[in-house]
Amino acid sequence: MLVSDGLNFCKLCEQFRDLDRITSWEPLLHHKSWTELCISAKDGCQLCQAFVRGQAQRFGALKDDFDRDKEFPATRLTWRPNGASGPYFLCQEGLFFYPHREVVNLGFDLYTHHDNPLASIISERPINEYSNSEACFEMIAKWMLDCKKYHAGCSWSQDHILPTRVIDVGDCVSSTPFLVTTNGATGAWLTLSHCWGGKLPLSTTLETLEQRMEGIPMGHLPATFRDAIEITRTLGFRYIWIDTFCIIQDCHQDWERESTKMQEIYANASFCIAASAAPNSEAGIFASADRERQLSRPLISFSSTSLSKKLQGTISLRWQLDGFPYTSIVNENLHQRAWAFQEGILAQRTLDFASTQIRWHCRSTSLSQRNPTSALSPTYEAIGPMGRFLFQFPVEKLRAHPNIRGYGIGSCTDHIMDWWYTAFWYYVRRSITVHNDLLPAIAGVAQNVAERSGYHYYAGLWQEDFHRGLLWQAIETVKRELSTSSPSWSWASTQFPWGCGLRRLDLGTYESGHKAKVLELTTTTSTGNPYAQVFTSCLIIEGFCRPLSHWQDDVAPVYNGERWQEDLQISHRWLREDDGKWPLNIPPQGRIVCTLDERPEKPDTCHVEMSFLQAILLQIARFGHHSRKLNLSEYKTLGSTAFALILQPSGERSEEYRRIGIAEVPTDDGMADGWDIKVVTIV
């Protein structure tokens, strides 16, 4: 094997000269321990030195001999791929799980330049240090051209009716942008999805409307808007829609009218520019997107050969772009905001300027700067594929009370309710400035789900899947918004974000048995649009009820507390040992499990308070539990739980209650049977 880079590698690292070997699915055995690798680095192996240097830069230095007293082969370091084109991991699989606290687990990308002989094997490419470079715009232009020419599932049109107002960026760099009232004209435009940063950026008001139509000097614009206009011009477009300029910010009527058009504005735009890394309008798209690019510089570059392809060239090693210390896509500033979620779902195409690289999402594929010609795996896209998956569902009328697999990227194409609960999981983790915008900020998404299911929407829940929808719950404690007009039975009554997201209750399969009967369900909204902010509501339910004070002493319910990691859950009884890598907490036999929305600091004394408040349980429905490791052909019910709402009297009217939590009632113990039937109103 010809090697000409002059680098000194130890015998085990010489294996990296064989490209076929290090890219194969068979794990490559490296040093027997981190202790041995550190000795090799001190002896002059430059690849081992890169591993040691990288560990220190990324996670903090490990002691040179931290695993000296641990047993082999648990300490063995192996190199393995985690996908067809990476990333690759150097790890100690034997030390990876509890109770071990220190472990080597380093993720890397292998990349090479497009003109390198090995480029036909290694698909990853260098990251240009500047997101506004000529090379970056050439890459974007190619993505656009390929989408137009080859993507049958993507449509491009110059004939859509323009939004009410757009910014005309002019046809040259020296042009002064100005606001245009379109009067029903047609054309192509871009949109900008951006963070306001806690305050209103430069905008259009009733007083400045005429001034904006005369011109908006580039020097007056904040950096994010200037960059968006540069992108629009460079890619050959004339118009861009920016919310703060194209909606009159101090005119409530204009805001209500234009906000109802968001779906068409984003869906019919040629693409959306997502200023993901920018925390506000002053930070700039390009400056924010360049923030972490220096981290993608190579840790080491060396010669390698593919004997199977008879090719030799240079490959480089960098940190895996999806992990620490890079900002993950879901942690980008823009992807922390509730309004931006809908914008990303509805847009036919999104050009995402993230902290480390540029990404492209369309209805056919997702691409990234690291791998500009190969589609991203949905696992690494976060919300990227969600819009694509939604619009793959046909317009049809679905039956009520569907069984679903449960939310997650892997299952969200099975049933549109799988998709909805997966999307909801992402949405609740986001922040919003005005609480009453929680429903409007996802209205366009909900409208599209309704069109593809025939379901009816009430305050964030679906009438045809209402029982499952009522059982939403955050992982951590959540507080009610005091000024909310949303009912307590809706998630829209809580404060966002839900830090750790949605509590994963096992609600996939409806089981036979008692199901609460919805006698009346109505909401009124600010505009008459069912997807808008809710002003008033009425929910009357008939079902099995029992006061919590019915159970005392040795059979009193158990309560989950603030430490959600220790949560008891009845479904844990039926999970196989290999279903989870961490201990699962199983409640005592014959005990109800209660989880309040606002979790108690002292769960052991909580039942006394609940009894004093005259809280009751209202059974909603029974759901079956399945082992997560079973194949679909083995998919069978192992047990079930009757889920109930915990309700507290409102103190205003007889049999009127507010939701304060969820209870899990074991069905195999007979505890869910023989309850009184009551009619209650939940406000």
Side-chain angles (χ1 to χ4, degrees), residues 278-296:
N280 53 53
S281 61
E282 301 290 342
I285 296 175
F286 300 133
S288 300
D290 295 346
R291 187 171 66 209
E292 296 175 3
R293 286 171 172 255
Q294 77 281 358
L295 297 173
S296 65

mmCIF file of all heavy atoms in Angstrom, residues 278-296:
data_model
loop_
_atom_site.group_PDB
_atom_site.id
_atom_site.type_symbol
_atom_site.label_atom_id
_atom_site.label_comp_id
_atom_site.label_asym_id
_atom_site.label_seq_id
_atom_site.Cartn_x
_atom_site.Cartn_y
_atom_site.Cartn_z
ATOM 1 N N ALA A 278 -29.557 32.737 14.007
ATOM 2 C CA ALA A 278 -29.615 34.137 14.443
ATOM 3 C C ALA A 278 -30.586 34.307 15.605
ATOM 4 O O ALA A 278 -31.764 33.988 15.466
ATOM 5 C CB ALA A 278 -30.024 35.027 13.276
ATOM 6 N N PRO A 279 -30.148 34.841 16.743
ATOM 7 C CA PRO A 279 -31.046 35.010 17.889
ATOM 8 C C PRO A 279 -31.993 36.190 17.740
ATOM 9 O O PRO A 279 -33.002 36.274 18.430
ATOM 10 C CB PRO A 279 -30.089 35.228 19.063
ATOM 11 C CG PRO A 279 -28.861 35.820 18.435
ATOM 12 C CD PRO A 279 -28.757 35.188 17.076
ATOM 13 N N ASN A 280 -31.685 37.115 16.834
ATOM 14 C CA ASN A 280 -32.526 38.291 16.629
ATOM 15 C C ASN A 280 -32.220 38.897 15.266
ATOM 16 O O ASN A 280 -31.365 38.390 14.524
ATOM 17 C CB ASN A 280 -32.306 39.321 17.744
ATOM 18 C CG ASN A 280 -30.833 39.669 17.919
ATOM 19 O OD1 ASN A 280 -30.138 40.035 16.972
ATOM 20 N ND2 ASN A 280 -30.340 39.528 19.148
ATOM 21 N N SER A 281 -32.905 39.980 14.942
ATOM 22 C CA SER A 281 -32.749 40.576 13.615
ATOM 23 C C SER A 281 -31.416 41.291 13.448
ATOM 24 O O SER A 281 -30.994 41.563 12.319
ATOM 25 C CB SER A 281 -33.894 41.558 13.352
ATOM 26 O OG SER A 281 -33.874 42.613 14.304
ATOM 27 N N GLU A 282 -30.740 41.605 14.553
ATOM 28 C CA GLU A 282 -29.462 42.318 14.468
ATOM 29 C C GLU A 282 -28.286 41.372 14.240
ATOM 30 O O GLU A 282 -27.226 41.795 13.779
ATOM 31 C CB GLU A 282 -29.221 43.115 15.762
ATOM 32 C CG GLU A 282 -30.298 44.140 16.098
ATOM 33 C CD GLU A 282 -30.288 45.318 15.132
ATOM 34 O OE1 GLU A 282 -29.261 45.516 14.440
ATOM 35 O OE2 GLU A 282 -31.303 46.043 15.073
ATOM 36 N N ALA A 283 -28.440 40.095 14.567
ATOM 37 C CA ALA A 283 -27.292 39.169 14.560
ATOM 38 C C ALA A 283 -26.818 38.832 13.155
ATOM 39 O O ALA A 283 -25.633 38.556 12.945
ATOM 40 C CB ALA A 283 -27.656 37.898 15.313
ATOM 41 N N GLY A 284 -27.725 38.826 12.179
ATOM 42 C CA GLY A 284 -27.344 38.505 10.813
ATOM 43 C C GLY A 284 -27.408 37.017 10.517
ATOM 44 O O GLY A 284 -27.050 36.197 11.373
ATOM 45 N N ILE A 285 -27.867 36.686 9.324
ATOM 46 C CA ILE A 285 -27.942 35.283 8.915
ATOM 47 C C ILE A 285 -26.542 34.708 8.755
ATOM 48 O O ILE A 285 -26.223 33.634 9.280
ATOM 49 C CB ILE A 285 -28.740 35.150 7.603
ATOM 50 C CG1 ILE A 285 -30.193 35.576 7.811
ATOM 51 C CG2 ILE A 285 -28.671 33.713 7.083
ATOM 52 C CD1 ILE A 285 -31.018 35.589 6.528
ATOM 53 N N PHE A 286 -25.681 35.432 8.030
ATOM 54 C CA PHE A 286 -24.358 34.893 7.701
ATOM 55 C C PHE A 286 -23.444 34.836 8.922
ATOM 56 O O PHE A 286 -22.787 33.821 9.169
ATOM 57 C CB PHE A 286 -23.707 35.726 6.599
ATOM 58 C CG PHE A 286 -24.485 35.759 5.315
ATOM 59 C CD1 PHE A 286 -24.717 36.952 4.657
ATOM 60 C CD2 PHE A 286 -25.013 34.596 4.773
ATOM 61 C CE1 PHE A 286 -25.431 36.990 3.472
ATOM 62 C CE2 PHE A 286 -25.738 34.618 3.592
ATOM 63 C CZ PHE A 286 -25.953 35.826 2.942
ATOM 64 N N ALA A 287 -23.385 35.919 9.697
ATOM 65 C CA ALA A 287 -22.503 35.935 10.873
ATOM 66 C C ALA A 287 -22.899 34.844 11.861
ATOM 67 O O ALA A 287 -22.034 34.163 12.431
ATOM 68 C CB ALA A 287 -22.554 37.306 11.543
ATOM 69 N N SER A 288 -24.196 34.638 12.051
ATOM 70 C CA SER A 288 -24.653 33.600 12.978
ATOM 71 C C SER A 288 -24.363 32.210 12.431
ATOM 72 O O SER A 288 -24.002 31.298 13.179
ATOM 73 C CB SER A 288 -26.152 33.756 13.244
ATOM 74 O OG SER A 288 -26.436 35.015 13.817
ATOM 75 N N ALA A 289 -24.517 32.051 11.115
ATOM 76 C CA ALA A 289 -24.287 30.740 10.502
ATOM 77 C C ALA A 289 -22.804 30.398 10.411
ATOM 78 O O ALA A 289 -22.454 29.237 10.166
ATOM 79 C CB ALA A 289 -24.919 30.697 9.118
ATOM 80 N N ASP A 290 -21.935 31.378 10.588
ATOM 81 C CA ASP A 290 -20.487 31.124 10.554
ATOM 82 C C ASP A 290 -19.919 30.857 11.944
ATOM 83 O O ASP A 290 -18.731 30.577 12.097
ATOM 84 C CB ASP A 290 -19.752 32.329 9.953
ATOM 85 C CG ASP A 290 -20.099 32.554 8.494
ATOM 86 O OD1 ASP A 290 -20.688 31.639 7.881
ATOM 87 O OD2 ASP A 290 -19.811 33.647 7.975
ATOM 88 N N ARG A 291 -20.762 30.927 12.955
ATOM 89 C CA ARG A 291 -20.324 30.937 14.346
ATOM 90 C C ARG A 291 -19.513 29.709 14.736
ATOM 91 O O ARG A 291 -18.535 29.796 15.469
ATOM 92 C CB ARG A 291 -21.572 31.046 15.223
ATOM 93 C CG ARG A 291 -21.331 31.241 16.681
ATOM 94 C CD ARG A 291 -22.652 31.544 17.389
ATOM 95 N NE ARG A 291 -23.566 30.402 17.340
ATOM 96 C CZ ARG A 291 -24.886 30.522 17.352
ATOM 97 N NH1 ARG A 291 -25.442 31.714 17.352
ATOM 98 N NH2 ARG A 291 -25.646 29.445 17.351
ATOM 99 N N GLU A 292 -19.900 28.530 14.252
ATOM 100 C CA GLU A 292 -19.245 27.290 14.694
ATOM 101 C C GLU A 292 -18.511 26.582 13.562
ATOM 102 O O GLU A 292 -18.064 25.458 13.732
ATOM 103 C CB GLU A 292 -20.290 26.348 15.304
ATOM 104 C CG GLU A 292 -20.937 26.898 16.567
ATOM 105 C CD GLU A 292 -22.044 26.007 17.098
ATOM 106 O OE1 GLU A 292 -22.277 24.928 16.515
ATOM 107 O OE2 GLU A 292 -22.688 26.380 18.097
ATOM 108 N N ARG A 293 -18.382 27.246 12.439
ATOM 109 C CA ARG A 293 -17.797 26.560 11.280
ATOM 110 C C ARG A 293 -16.328 26.214 11.461
ATOM 111 O O ARG A 293 -15.841 25.245 10.879
ATOM 112 C CB ARG A 293 -17.997 27.406 10.014
ATOM 113 C CG ARG A 293 -19.435 27.361 9.525
ATOM 114 C CD ARG A 293 -19.715 28.346 8.403
ATOM 115 N NE ARG A 293 -21.057 28.088 7.882
ATOM 116 C CZ ARG A 293 -21.315 27.483 6.727
ATOM 117 N NH1 ARG A 293 -20.315 27.090 5.963
ATOM 118 N NH2 ARG A 293 -22.541 27.268 6.332
ATOM 119 N N GLN A 294 -15.630 27.002 12.281
ATOM 120 C CA GLN A 294 -14.210 26.693 12.487
ATOM 121 C C GLN A 294 -14.026 25.361 13.203
ATOM 122 O O GLN A 294 -12.966 24.738 13.124
ATOM 123 C CB GLN A 294 -13.519 27.825 13.267
ATOM 124 C CG GLN A 294 -13.791 27.843 14.762
ATOM 125 C CD GLN A 294 -15.143 28.436 15.119
ATOM 126 O OE1 GLN A 294 -15.880 28.879 14.243
ATOM 127 N NE2 GLN A 294 -15.467 28.473 16.402
ATOM 128 N N LEU A 295 -15.082 24.897 13.898
ATOM 129 C CA LEU A 295 -14.989 23.614 14.600
ATOM 130 C C LEU A 295 -14.920 22.435 13.634
ATOM 131 O O LEU A 295 -14.565 21.322 14.032
ATOM 132 C CB LEU A 295 -16.190 23.433 15.530
ATOM 133 C CG LEU A 295 -16.327 24.457 16.672
ATOM 134 C CD1 LEU A 295 -17.647 24.253 17.410
ATOM 135 C CD2 LEU A 295 -15.157 24.352 17.627
ATOM 136 N N SER A 296 -15.297 22.682 12.381
ATOM 137 C CA SER A 296 -15.296 21.589 11.406
ATOM 138 C C SER A 296 -13.963 21.458 10.669
ATOM 139 O O SER A 296 -13.850 20.670 9.726
ATOM 140 C CB SER A 296 -16.423 21.791 10.388
ATOM 141 O OG SER A 296 -16.199 22.963 9.620
#
